[in-house]
Amino acid sequence: MQTVTQAFAPTLEATRAALADQGFGVLTEIDLAATLKAKIDVDIAPQVILGACRPPLAHAALSAEPSIGLLLPCNVVVRAVDDDTTLVEAMDPQVMVTLTDNAELGGVADDARERLAAALASLTD
């Protein structure tokens, strides 16, 4: 988790760039605020889920555990706390190892964790 002293929109853009710098592409993007407003007419603070994927890691994970697709891509959430503060969170890839009980995923999860942590850390440099 990384707290960024910056408004939501520029933090979302910076997060996309930071993920790209670590070799991740964004496969999916879910705007929770817009979706909830459209579907059930409720208002929440801006919040977007980015489905990040680094193809070599995804391939390695699938090779070790064919059912790992249930846990892919790596979700990164960018959420407004207030006008000047945004929270960026990423699921710990080690969850893949824990949920599957497949130690072969350890190296993949470690690599993904390091890259995600570096991406989040760069948001406050």
Side-chain angles (χ1 to χ4, degrees), residues 65-114:
E65 178 64 52
S67 295
I68 203 66
L70 292 166
L71 301 173
L72 297 177
C74 295
N75 284 328
V76 177
V77 175
V78 181
R79 175 170 52 95
V81 175
D82 57 38
D83 290 343
D84 301 314
T85 309
T86 306
L87 190 64
V88 183
E89 303 170 287
M91 174 70 88
D92 183 351
Q94 284 295 332
V95 168
M96 293 186 304
V97 180
T98 303
L99 290 177
T100 62
D101 197 29
N102 184 338
E104 289 183 52
L105 291 170
V108 174
D110 288 343
D111 189 351
R113 175 193 266 174
E114 288 173 21

Side-chain angles (χ1 to χ4, degrees), residues 2-119:
Q2 191 71 38
T3 301
V4 181
T5 307
Q6 182 172 267
F8 174 79
T11 301
L12 180 59
E13 290 307 313
T15 302
R16 286 188 192 108
L19 289 168
D21 288 346
Q22 292 297 319
F24 289 95
V26 175
L27 300 179
T28 59
E29 185 167 324
I30 301 167
D31 183 334
L32 287 174
T35 299
L36 292 178
K37 183 66 176 174
K39 299 293 183 184
I40 59 174
D41 196 28
V42 296
D43 294 306
I44 65 168
Q47 186 169 164
V48 171
I49 302 170
L50 301 174
C53 178
R54 186 165 193 278
L57 291 176
H59 180 256
L62 287 165
S63 295
E65 178 64 52
S67 295
I68 203 66
L70 292 166
L71 301 173
L72 297 177
C74 295
N75 284 328
V76 177
V77 175
V78 181
R79 175 170 52 95
V81 175
D82 57 38
D83 290 343
D84 301 314
T85 309
T86 306
L87 190 64
V88 183
E89 303 170 287
M91 174 70 88
D92 183 351
Q94 284 295 332
V95 168
M96 293 186 304
V97 180
T98 303
L99 290 177
T100 62
D101 197 29
N102 184 338
E104 289 183 52
L105 291 170
V108 174
D110 288 343
D111 189 351
R113 175 193 266 174
E114 288 173 21
R115 290 173 184 277
L116 289 170

